[in-house]
Amino acid sequence: MMSIILIGCGLNSAEENLLGRWVETENEQIVWQFYPDSLVITEDPFRRVDWGATSSKIMVDYPKIFWDSEGKPRDTIDPIVIDYKLSENRDTMIGTLKNMHGTHEFGLIRSEK
């Protein structure tokens, strides 16, 4: 349902501030690319996911496959919520990602490459 709401409303100013290429500070090989209609992370470059943001949270419904107790693959959604803060000039982000696997703190730097 969140995806339908996000797609229907267009971008808000918080989402516009995030558009572009961001590189993780701990691992420069991981790039987050925010597009108006999707988010792509280099860990899984073929998966585009819907995203939305407020001035302090990024929400992503991340599709995943898991194997049930019978060994059959099942589709599920891993709801990801990121509490974040942008620097004053909007070129650095610090955040805490929360999903079904726990909590992870990270940093991103805007990149023009």
Side-chain angles (χ1 to χ4, degrees):
M1 178 130 154
M2 179 178 75
S3 300
I4 294 169
I5 294 169
L6 295 175
I7 291 170
C9 296
L11 294 179
N12 61 41
S13 61
E15 293 165 342
E16 288 177 358
N17 287 334
L18 298 174
L19 292 177
R21 186 176 191 271
W22 295 80
V23 177
E24 286 197 15
T25 56
E26 292 180 14
N27 183 347
E28 294 178 0
Q29 300 302 311
I30 299 177
V31 176
W32 299 40
Q33 181 71 45
F34 288 91
Y35 295 100
D37 63 344
S38 60
L39 169 62
V40 177
I41 300 175
T42 56
E43 287 183 319
D44 192 356
F46 303 108
R47 182 173 308 222
R48 291 178 170 265
V49 295
D50 292 331
W51 67 282
T54 67
S55 60
S56 63
K57 290 191 185 301
I58 301 169
M59 293 78 58
V60 178
D61 283 338
Y62 198 83
K64 294 190 109 175
I65 296 175
F66 75 97
W67 280 258
D68 65 15
S69 60
E70 297 176 1
K72 295 181 182 176
R74 302 286 183 201
D75 292 328
T76 189
I77 298 292
D78 182 5
I80 298 172
V81 177
I82 300 168
D83 293 314
Y84 77 97
K85 183 172 173 75
L86 288 178
S87 64
E88 191 172 312
N89 56 2
R90 298 183 181 128
D91 66 349
T92 305
M93 176 194 309
I94 55 170
T96 302
L97 182 148
K98 298 173 188 169
N99 68 2
M100 66 176 40
H101 301 291
T103 302
H104 173 71
E105 293 186 14
F106 67 94
L108 299 173
I109 296 175
R110 190 180 299 273
S111 171
E112 298 301 322
K113 286 185 181 180

